[in-house]
Structures are given as structure tokens and as C-alpha cells.
Amino acid sequence: MNRTRRLAALTFVVVPALALGPAVAAHASPATTPRATCNVERESNGKYHLWGVGFPGGASVTFSGSSTGTVSTDHTGRFDVDGLSGSKFVVRTAHGKTTLTCAKINH
């Protein structure tokens, strides 16, 4: 009888811990988000297209190099800027936590 009570008490301790497993794993997911990257591509009109992914959603991103400016990311953390002159850019987040030199993509 005592053994049955101990098993029952242990069940109440173990089951909630197992139930927290997926919740704990869900909190770990932001650490697995992709790193921020940026790229530059030449457009058919001779201008350049600067784009980036993996930034915080709704953040301001400053780009400098051949052209300069500031753009906001969408809710997914992506930004696009068309019609730029030159192909060398550095991108920085507003708080300076991320600074990237953008890769030029040749087609």
C-alpha cells in the first residue's frame, strides 16, 4: 500500500515535468533563428539591389558605402532597397548590435 502511494505521488511530480518539456523547447527556438545576412545584386538597369534577412522585425537598419540610408525591416526581419549606385555596403542595426559587410552576388 505504501508503495502504491509513493508511485502515485511520484507520478504527480514527473508528469508536470514532462508536460513542461515542449514549453521549455519552445523558449529555446529564438536561439536557433537564422543569423542576419545581407547581399547586393546588380539589377538589369545597371543599378544595385541591397537586401537582408534575419534582422529583428520592425528594426531600423542603416546602410552605408556606395550609397547611404536607413530602412525599416518588415515583421519577418527582411529589408529590400532598389536603385542604388555601387555594390559595396555595410549594414548596421540601430543599436549597433549587428554590423555586416554585404556579399555581392553575381549572376
Side-chain angles (χ1 to χ4, degrees), residues 35-42 48-55 61-69 71 79-81 84-93 98-106:
R35 288 185 177 182
T37 60
C38 61
N39 298 291
V40 181
E41 297 175 291
R42 188 173 186 144
Y48 290 89
H49 173 219
L50 172 66
W51 59 274
V53 295
F55 292 89
V61 176
T62 302
F63 58 92
S64 60
S66 304
S67 300
T68 60
V71 64
F79 72 88
D80 286 289
V81 183
L84 300 173
S85 60
S87 63
K88 295 184 180 187
F89 292 95
V90 173
V91 172
R92 291 180 183 85
T93 56
T98 305
T99 302
L100 300 170
T101 301
C102 303
K104 184 177 177 186
I105 299 175
N106 295 314

Side-chain angles (χ1 to χ4, degrees), residues 6-27:
R6 279 184 273 177
L7 287 175
L10 184 60
T11 301
F12 288 117
V13 173
V14 172
V15 171
L18 291 175
L20 289 177
V24 172
H27 291 297

